[in-house]
Amino acid sequence: MLKAASAASVSTLRRTIRPRGGAAAPLSSSIVGATRSLADAATPVEVEHGRGQWKTYGDLESFKPGKFQIKCFNKISPKGLKRFDEEKFDVREDGSDAANAHAILLRSHKLKEEEVVHTVRAIARCGAGTNNIPVARMTELGIPVFNTPGANANAVKELVICGMLLGSRRVVDGINHMKDLGQQGLARERVEKDKALFGGREVMGKTLAVIGLGHIGASTARDASAALGMNIVGYDPGLSIESALKLPREITLVDSIQAACADADYISLNIPYIKGEGGTHGIINGDIIDSCKSDAVFLNFARGELVESEAMKAFLDRGDGRYVTDFPDDLCWDHKNAVVLPHLGASTEEAEDAAASMAADTIKEFLEHGTIKNSVNFPDTALPAKDENTVRFTVVNENHPGLLAGITEAFARSDLNIVQQINHSLGPVAYNVLDIDTTAHDNIVDFKNVQEEITMLEGVLSSRIIYGAPGTGYAKNLGGDYFV
């Protein structure tokens, strides 16, 4: 058995691909050592590391065995990156090569499948939306995608309230007017005379319809009611208990978007953009807009695609309604009744720090303990802390009947006892976390064979042994080929 590899253990070996049911086919390549052991465990654990065809290996000279490698796309908040312990994590910031990444951290980068190497176990976005990640394909590959719900909620809420005020008073028009007067040397002369050109209304006592009562929507509703004295109407068919507890007591909940908008003076959109049938593309359409007050103010700091541009332009053309958004709109961008901002919703230092910190913590919990929280494609899963005489084993598989039995039977055949386990599923994928007892074994508990057996079960996508050596113990079933 080889001891845990150090930086000096990188060597040129012969590695193999083992097709299902076939003999191992050797390939000559530079890899990290063939096996790893946990020397400080109560019972040493041997797992295999370094067999199988790597999609990309590269960068051997700077690769750091014994550390989780984190690939960052975009500029990630330094405060968030500091959450990664340098002894366990090798963080490659934006622009740095990370050919052996174990996890990916990104903000707005549009991720392509070819950028996700076979070593990647998880992806986290510093933000709520995941439209820039091919989530469905990652699910097929057995890779959880995490987001950071609520991390930017306060920043977006403040911009929504700002937008409400911009839509109530022609502040932007007034600023531009004063700049023109200043250039002409007429600002002092006209400052009082021209103020009547930019009249408006107050928000106190007006009705705000909040469409979507998640972190941002609930926060907006609460502050608009408590601080601004507004009447709140809300709509959210998937309202969670957590969000419901944050709502103002005086809120009126209705059963449709149209019912929420009908008598509202302000309408805040706080729902995700979902493509396809039954999705939210163009959900604010002509029928909804036509049912609103002629002077209603729409606030869209969620996604531009939620609103039908043609219907919105027609609404702005015929009345005194307003549209305030931080998404581009090809038809409304220069309309006198529209205020189109850069995408500023989460662009505050505090929000970027909070999102990056949450994303980093989520990745750490998954890589170090197998815990899943805030994933958009995997079920929330957490097993209590493992005993020192156990080893944690995780399995990602297609959600088919009988697979869990196949996994547990494989351990039984290897005389390995399961101390505690949990199995959760979400749609097409299932996730298992099992703690295996090592106390009944006098010598080495050899996981190589049982891991290969489990990983190569029909429907299993990947497995992982969490035993103390960061970056090792991961295996994938690549269409019948065993990658470890």
Side-chain angles (χ1 to χ4, degrees):
M1 180 179 68
L2 299 180
K3 295 299 182 181
S6 65
S9 67
V10 179
S11 59
T12 300
L13 302 174
R14 289 186 61 81
R15 61 184 169 85
T16 62
I17 306 173
R18 186 181 297 278
R20 179 176 292 158
L27 289 174
S28 180
S29 176
S30 295
I31 63 168
V32 180
T35 59
R36 299 283 180 95
S37 69
L38 178 58
D40 58 352
T43 302
V45 176
E46 183 179 2
V47 300
E48 188 172 2
H49 182 71
R51 175 159 59 97
Q53 184 176 13
W54 294 75
K55 187 175 184 179
T56 305
Y57 200 80
D59 195 23
L60 276 173
E61 291 184 1
S62 61
F63 179 56
K64 298 178 181 178
K67 291 189 176 185
F68 290 114
Q69 189 176 99
I70 311 297
K71 168 64 177 175
C72 297
F73 290 96
N74 309 120
K75 181 177 174 57
I76 306 298
S77 161
K79 286 188 177 180
L81 296 182
K82 285 182 179 179
R83 312 286 279 210
F84 292 113
D85 184 350
E86 291 184 1
E87 294 183 0
K88 294 182 179 180
F89 294 90
D90 172 21
V91 179
R92 305 294 179 92
E93 297 193 48
D94 190 26
S96 300
D97 189 19
N100 318 289
H102 300 117
I104 290 174
L105 206 60
L106 52 75
R107 291 172 59 199
S108 58
H109 175 77
K110 191 169 181 60
L111 190 67
K112 302 178 179 63
E113 183 182 346
E114 54 266 29
E115 294 173 316
V116 183
V117 297
H118 285 330
T119 53
V120 170
R121 285 91 154 138
I123 299 167
R125 180 173 184 270
C126 304
T130 54
N131 301 87
N132 56 321
I133 301 171
V135 175
R137 180 56 180 154
M138 294 303 102
T139 305
E140 293 174 355
L141 296 174
I143 299 173
V145 176
F146 300 95
N147 66 349
T148 57
N152 64 2
N154 187 70
V156 178
K157 173 206 69 180
E158 289 183 359
L159 194 61
V160 170
I161 292 175
C162 173
M164 191 156 49
L165 298 176
L166 292 176
S168 300
R169 316 277 286 269
R170 289 192 175 274
V171 176
V172 175
D173 293 339
I175 291 171
N176 292 333
H177 182 69
M178 290 303 294
K179 286 183 177 180
D180 290 340
L181 293 179
Q183 290 177 345
Q184 301 172 48
L186 299 174
R188 291 184 179 278
E189 178 184 340
R190 301 276 293 276
V191 66
E192 290 293 333
K193 295 179 181 179
D194 290 359
K195 64 182 182 182
L197 298 172
F198 309 104
R201 67 188 185 196
E202 298 180 12
V203 299
M204 181 179 287
K206 303 298 191 299
T207 298
L208 169 65
V210 182
I211 312 301
L213 294 166
H215 292 281
I216 297 169
S219 182
T220 300
R222 184 181 63 247
D223 285 6
S225 173
L228 300 177
M230 302 185 75
N231 304 311
I232 311 298
V233 177
Y235 169 74
D236 190 334
L239 180 63
S240 68
I241 295 176
E242 180 184 5
S243 293
L245 292 173
K246 297 177 182 178
L247 296 174
R249 293 183 179 181
E250 300 79 9
I251 190 173
T252 300
L253 296 176
V254 295
D255 59 3
S256 70
I257 294 177
Q258 193 157 347
C261 295
D263 297 316
D265 302 292
Y266 301 87
I267 300 158
S268 178
L269 307 179
N270 307 281
I271 53 180
Y273 175 60
I274 302 171
K275 296 181 180 178
E277 186 177 353
T280 57
H281 184 90
I283 195 168
I284 306 301
N285 54 31
D287 291 339
I288 297 293
I289 294 173
D290 290 346
S291 68
C292 297
K293 291 181 174 181
S294 62
D295 61 350
V297 176
F298 285 85
L299 307 162
N300 182 9
F301 296 91
R303 282 293 181 270
E305 296 89 345
L306 298 173
V307 176
E308 283 189 359
S309 292
E310 294 84 358
M312 180 58 68
K313 184 177 183 303
F315 170 72
L316 298 178
D317 285 343
R318 66 174 177 261
D320 196 31
R322 308 288 165 80
Y323 182 46
V324 186
T325 181
D326 65 343
F327 291 93
D329 191 297
D330 293 339
L331 294 181
C332 300
W333 66 272
D334 64 343
H335 200 286
K336 67 175 184 177
N337 288 338
V339 177
V340 180
L341 307 171
H343 187 46
L344 300 176
S347 295
T348 67
E349 182 178 343
E350 295 87 347
E352 291 180 6
D353 289 346
S357 296
M358 184 184 291
D361 289 344
T362 300
I363 289 291
K364 285 178 59 180
E365 280 293 306
F366 177 73
L367 292 179
E368 295 182 335
H369 306 292
T371 300
I372 290 183
K373 182 181 180 181
N374 295 329
S375 173
V376 299
N377 62 336
F378 271 56
D380 279 2
T381 309
L383 202 60
K386 71 180 186 67
D387 185 87
E388 64 177 3
N389 293 315
T390 64
V391 170
R392 182 154 291 183
F393 199 104
T394 72
V395 182
V396 179
N397 59 270
E398 296 171 356
N399 189 17
H400 298 320
L403 269 172
L404 180 58
I407 293 168
T408 56
E409 288 167 4
F411 284 113
R413 284 191 293 272
S414 296
D415 197 28
L416 294 169
N417 184 49
I418 299 172
V419 176
Q420 61 175 350
Q421 70 181 88
I422 189 170
N423 167 271
H424 283 171
S425 62
L426 180 66
V429 71
Y431 182 64
N432 310 269
V433 184
L434 311 95
D435 285 351
I436 310 302
D437 187 13
T438 63
T439 57
H441 299 265
D442 294 333
N443 298 309
I444 294 171
V445 179
D446 189 343
F447 276 87
K448 293 199 301 291
N449 294 331
V450 70
Q451 182 173 25
E452 181 169 358
E453 180 182 351
I454 289 173
T455 305
M456 299 314 292
L457 289 172
E458 187 70 35
V460 170
L461 301 174
S462 67
S463 66
R464 193 156 61 99
I465 302 169
I466 304 172
Y467 68 100
T472 62
Y474 184 62
K476 296 193 76 171
N477 184 338
L478 300 177
D481 290 340
Y482 186 56
F483 167 91
V484 62

